[in-house]
Amino acid sequence: MRFGFNFYNWDHDLHRALDQSLDHLLTWTKETGWEGFETKAHTIQNHPERLKAACERIGIACAALGGFSDIQNMIDYAHKANVAFIRTSVPEETAQHWVTYAAERNVTLAVHPDTGHLMMCGSDPIQTLYDLGERCGFIHLKDIEMDMAKQGIKGPSFCNLGEGDLDLPGVMQALHDIHFDGWVIVERDRRVDDYLDSAQKMREVLRGMGY
């Protein structure tokens, strides 16, 4: 099991200046304790070879990509950037074609439950993990304050790990029980003034649980 951080949590200003701050983003992610990160290709705004080189230089992994409308371009980009997972949706009638196309390029189309979104829509993230079992190759780990969510306050209802209503020990136990060996990508899913502090605190919560 490996732990990464979602670039969604970083500030919009950094995204706008990403050509100048890619190394900073990667360095901050590593220094706050994460092994890897997830982002969207249109956010990262870099050629795949440059992204791959930056990751190798700094010693961090791009765990997953999203954000393409063209599935073939998404797979090809991930292959060139040495990214193992992409999260996307494909029509059922072409799913096997794209799963095979991706596998030939060492890329996996991942089933990726999101604990916060599952709770927001009234589902049980722990039971979902058990239901998925070995099909779960990737997860978004997100905490949520359900009182706010039930009032329809979506963005602000997401909070740091350990500060909301997510049964975090139960989720981690479920991951162990299904022999999960993929990426756990932590998201805040809302931006805060001190995103570095938020990233570090969430990593410390997981470390306190032995991860």
Side-chain angles (χ1 to χ4, degrees):
M1 201 181 310
R2 302 178 71 186
F3 294 88
F5 196 65
N6 195 325
F7 272 12
Y8 182 91
N9 298 271
W10 298 119
D11 183 84
H12 275 302
D13 290 337
L14 291 175
H15 284 168
R16 283 194 289 267
L18 207 53
D19 264 350
Q20 290 74 39
S21 63
L22 175 60
D23 280 16
H24 290 107
L25 283 168
L26 299 182
T27 300
W28 289 336
T29 303
K30 184 176 181 179
E31 288 180 349
T32 50
W34 306 98
E35 299 174 68
F37 64 94
E38 176 188 351
T39 188
K40 296 181 178 179
H42 70 264
T43 297
I44 208 76
Q45 294 177 3
N46 277 277
H47 293 297
E49 291 83 359
R50 184 183 175 208
L51 176 59
K52 179 181 178 181
C55 290
E56 290 174 348
R57 182 170 60 252
I58 292 167
I60 195 167
C62 184
L65 286 172
F68 283 82
S69 57
D70 184 325
I71 181 64
Q72 181 171 336
N73 283 341
M74 188 178 194
I75 294 170
D76 291 344
Y77 186 104
H79 174 60
K80 292 175 183 176
N82 195 32
V83 179
F85 289 95
I86 59 174
R87 49 184 197 83
T88 186
S89 57
V90 294
E92 184 177 355
E93 60 271 18
T94 61
Q96 188 55 58
H97 167 74
W98 291 120
V99 167
T100 301
Y101 184 86
E104 290 170 348
R105 290 153 181 81
N106 296 316
V107 176
T108 299
L109 305 186
V111 175
H112 58 284
D114 182 302
T115 58
H117 288 164
L118 284 166
M119 290 178 67
M120 181 175 281
C121 70
S123 297
D124 180 349
I126 296 174
Q127 186 59 53
T128 298
L129 290 173
Y130 284 119
D131 291 344
L132 287 171
E134 64 181 14
R135 291 174 295 165
C136 181
F138 181 83
I139 181 174
H140 281 173
L141 186 60
K142 185 185 305 173
D143 209 339
I144 185 171
E145 296 180 42
M146 287 304 297
D147 283 346
M148 295 181 69
K150 289 174 181 177
Q151 297 174 46
I153 307 172
K154 294 184 179 180
S157 65
F158 296 117
C159 56
N160 283 343
L161 285 181
E163 297 180 3
D165 296 302
L166 176 68
D167 180 359
L168 185 56
V171 168
M172 300 312 297
Q173 184 62 52
L175 290 174
H176 280 290
D177 290 345
I178 66 172
H179 307 292
F180 179 81
D181 193 31
W183 278 97
V184 177
I185 299 294
V186 172
E187 289 187 299
R188 176 69 187 264
D189 220 357
R190 62 176 288 215
R191 293 174 180 85
V192 291
D193 291 336
D194 193 345
Y195 39 83
L196 290 175
D197 182 63
S198 176
Q200 191 164 12
K201 282 181 177 177
M202 291 195 285
R203 190 65 188 93
E204 288 171 356
V205 167
L206 290 168
R207 282 204 182 103
M209 298 175 66
Y211 299 102

